[in-house]
Amino acid sequence: MNYPSLAPDQIAILGSANNAASETRDVIRKFHEAFDRHDPQAMEDLVADDCVIENTNPAPNGARLLGKAACLANWQGLASSTSARFVREEVFVVGERAVIRWRYCWGTDDASSIRGINLMRVCGGRIVEAMGYVKGT
């Protein structure tokens, strides 16, 4: 199946469109553009030194990745794959928080995809936290 994806600039700001919300929207937009271009190097300036990821696997709690190097390695590995893609279903920002509903596709049918959500936080122009959750068994 071919799932339509929101463009990286289709990020809604909910609530006050203050400096924090604008900064968060800009960082998340650049992050998604890097994924769409399969350009892992473009992520380097978007991740904070003290970034923390709570990954989607292994169940039940996911791996916890600490620090810029570990977080970048995770995201850059995903972004460099040209045989898979993320489809953005909904993206919105509230202050320094971003909510991203997505589908990760590695084939052409529903069985070759998985849906999930990331809750991310941006501070000082960098991603400092990402928590991923998936629909799966």
Side-chain angles (χ1 to χ4, degrees):
M1 298 205 79
N2 188 15
Y3 300 100
S5 184
L6 293 175
D9 63 351
Q10 292 179 293
I11 298 173
I13 293 179
L14 303 182
S16 178
N18 57 27
N19 288 343
S22 294
E23 177 181 73
T24 300
R25 180 185 57 200
D26 291 345
V27 169
I28 297 302
R29 177 186 52 78
K30 290 174 186 173
F31 184 75
H32 288 164
E33 287 171 347
F35 266 98
D36 289 355
R37 289 190 317 266
H38 301 284
D39 181 6
Q41 303 320 114
M43 297 177 169
E44 292 191 11
D45 291 336
L46 303 175
V47 180
D49 290 340
D50 58 349
C51 185
V52 176
I53 293 177
E54 288 183 9
N55 215 343
T56 57
N57 58 29
N61 296 320
R64 187 170 170 87
L65 307 175
L66 303 172
K68 182 174 184 168
C71 294
L72 270 175
N74 180 71
W75 284 325
Q76 288 178 325
L78 289 168
S80 65
S81 172
T82 57
S83 63
R85 70 183 182 105
F86 277 96
V87 172
R88 288 172 296 280
E89 296 179 337
E90 179 182 29
V91 184
F92 64 87
V93 165
V94 179
E96 63 182 18
R97 302 273 182 187
V99 177
I100 301 110
R101 273 191 321 109
W102 48 261
R103 180 182 294 268
Y104 183 68
C105 303
W106 60 89
T108 59
D109 60 2
D110 281 342
S112 301
S113 71
I114 192 164
R115 293 179 71 211
I117 190 165
N118 277 23
L119 308 174
M120 299 177 81
R121 188 166 61 91
V122 171
C123 187
R126 305 264 193 291
I127 299 168
V128 296
E129 181 179 58
M131 296 173 287
Y133 303 90
V134 297
K135 288 185 172 233
T137 54

CSV table of all heavy atoms in Angstrom, one decimal, residues 1 6-7 14 31-32 35 39 57 62 93 114 116 120:
chain,number,residue,atom,x,y,z
A,1,MET,N,0.8,-1.2,0.0
A,1,MET,CA,0.0,0.0,0.0
A,1,MET,C,0.9,1.2,0.0
A,1,MET,O,2.0,1.2,0.5
A,1,MET,CB,-0.9,0.0,1.2
A,1,MET,CG,-1.8,-1.1,1.3
A,1,MET,SD,-3.3,-0.8,2.3
A,1,MET,CE,-4.3,0.2,1.2
A,6,LEU,N,2.4,13.4,5.6
A,6,LEU,CA,2.5,14.8,5.7
A,6,LEU,C,3.8,15.3,5.4
A,6,LEU,O,4.8,14.6,5.6
A,6,LEU,CB,2.2,15.2,7.2
A,6,LEU,CG,0.9,14.9,7.8
A,6,LEU,CD1,0.9,15.3,9.3
A,6,LEU,CD2,-0.2,15.8,7.1
A,7,ALA,N,3.9,16.4,4.7
A,7,ALA,CA,5.2,17.1,4.4
A,7,ALA,C,5.8,17.6,5.7
A,7,ALA,O,5.1,17.8,6.7
A,7,ALA,CB,5.0,18.2,3.5
A,14,LEU,N,-0.1,23.7,18.6
A,14,LEU,CA,-1.3,23.8,19.4
A,14,LEU,C,-1.0,24.7,20.6
A,14,LEU,O,0.1,24.7,21.1
A,14,LEU,CB,-1.7,22.5,19.8
A,14,LEU,CG,-2.0,21.4,18.8
A,14,LEU,CD1,-2.5,20.1,19.4
A,14,LEU,CD2,-3.0,21.9,17.7
A,31,PHE,N,14.5,17.5,11.3
A,31,PHE,CA,14.7,16.1,11.6
A,31,PHE,C,14.0,15.2,10.6
A,31,PHE,O,14.5,14.3,10.0
A,31,PHE,CB,14.2,15.8,13.0
A,31,PHE,CG,14.4,14.5,13.6
A,31,PHE,CD1,15.6,14.0,14.0
A,31,PHE,CD2,13.3,13.6,13.7
A,31,PHE,CE1,15.8,12.8,14.5
A,31,PHE,CE2,13.5,12.3,14.2
A,31,PHE,CZ,14.7,11.9,14.6
A,32,HIS,N,12.7,15.6,10.3
A,32,HIS,CA,11.9,14.8,9.3
A,32,HIS,C,12.5,15.0,7.9
A,32,HIS,O,12.5,14.0,7.1
A,32,HIS,CB,10.5,15.2,9.4
A,32,HIS,CG,9.8,14.7,10.6
A,32,HIS,ND1,8.6,15.2,11.1
A,32,HIS,CD2,10.2,13.8,11.5
A,32,HIS,CE1,8.3,14.5,12.2
A,32,HIS,NE2,9.2,13.7,12.5
A,35,PHE,N,15.2,12.5,7.5
A,35,PHE,CA,14.7,11.2,7.2
A,35,PHE,C,14.3,11.0,5.8
A,35,PHE,O,14.6,10.0,5.1
A,35,PHE,CB,13.6,10.8,8.2
A,35,PHE,CG,14.0,10.1,9.4
A,35,PHE,CD1,14.2,10.8,10.6
A,35,PHE,CD2,14.3,8.7,9.4
A,35,PHE,CE1,14.7,10.1,11.7
A,35,PHE,CE2,14.7,8.1,10.5
A,35,PHE,CZ,14.9,8.8,11.7
A,39,ASP,N,19.4,11.3,4.8
A,39,ASP,CA,20.6,12.1,5.0
A,39,ASP,C,20.9,12.1,6.5
A,39,ASP,O,20.6,13.1,7.2
A,39,ASP,CB,20.3,13.5,4.5
A,39,ASP,CG,21.6,14.4,4.6
A,39,ASP,OD1,22.6,13.9,5.0
A,39,ASP,OD2,21.4,15.6,4.4
A,57,ASN,N,11.8,-0.9,21.2
A,57,ASN,CA,12.0,-2.3,21.5
A,57,ASN,C,13.3,-2.4,22.3
A,57,ASN,O,14.1,-1.5,22.4
A,57,ASN,CB,12.1,-3.1,20.2
A,57,ASN,CG,13.1,-2.6,19.3
A,57,ASN,OD1,14.1,-2.1,19.7
A,57,ASN,ND2,12.9,-2.8,18.0
A,62,GLY,N,11.5,-1.2,26.1
A,62,GLY,CA,12.4,-0.6,25.2
A,62,GLY,C,13.7,-0.2,25.7
A,62,GLY,O,13.9,0.0,26.9
A,93,VAL,N,2.9,20.3,17.8
A,93,VAL,CA,3.8,20.8,18.8
A,93,VAL,C,3.0,21.6,19.8
A,93,VAL,O,2.1,22.3,19.5
A,93,VAL,CB,4.9,21.7,18.1
A,93,VAL,CG1,5.6,22.6,19.1
A,93,VAL,CG2,5.8,20.9,17.3
A,114,ILE,N,4.5,-0.9,10.4
A,114,ILE,CA,4.1,-0.9,11.8
A,114,ILE,C,3.8,0.6,12.1
A,114,ILE,O,4.4,1.5,11.6
A,114,ILE,CB,5.1,-1.5,12.7
A,114,ILE,CG1,4.6,-1.7,14.1
A,114,ILE,CG2,6.4,-0.6,12.7
A,114,ILE,CD1,5.4,-2.6,15.0
A,116,GLY,N,3.2,3.7,15.0
A,116,GLY,CA,3.6,4.1,16.3
A,116,GLY,C,3.5,5.6,16.5
A,116,GLY,O,3.0,6.3,15.7
A,120,MET,N,8.5,13.7,21.7
A,120,MET,CA,9.8,14.3,21.7
A,120,MET,C,9.8,15.6,22.4
A,120,MET,O,8.8,16.3,22.5
A,120,MET,CB,10.3,14.4,20.3
A,120,MET,CG,10.4,13.0,19.6
A,120,MET,SD,10.9,13.1,17.8
A,120,MET,CE,12.7,13.3,18.0
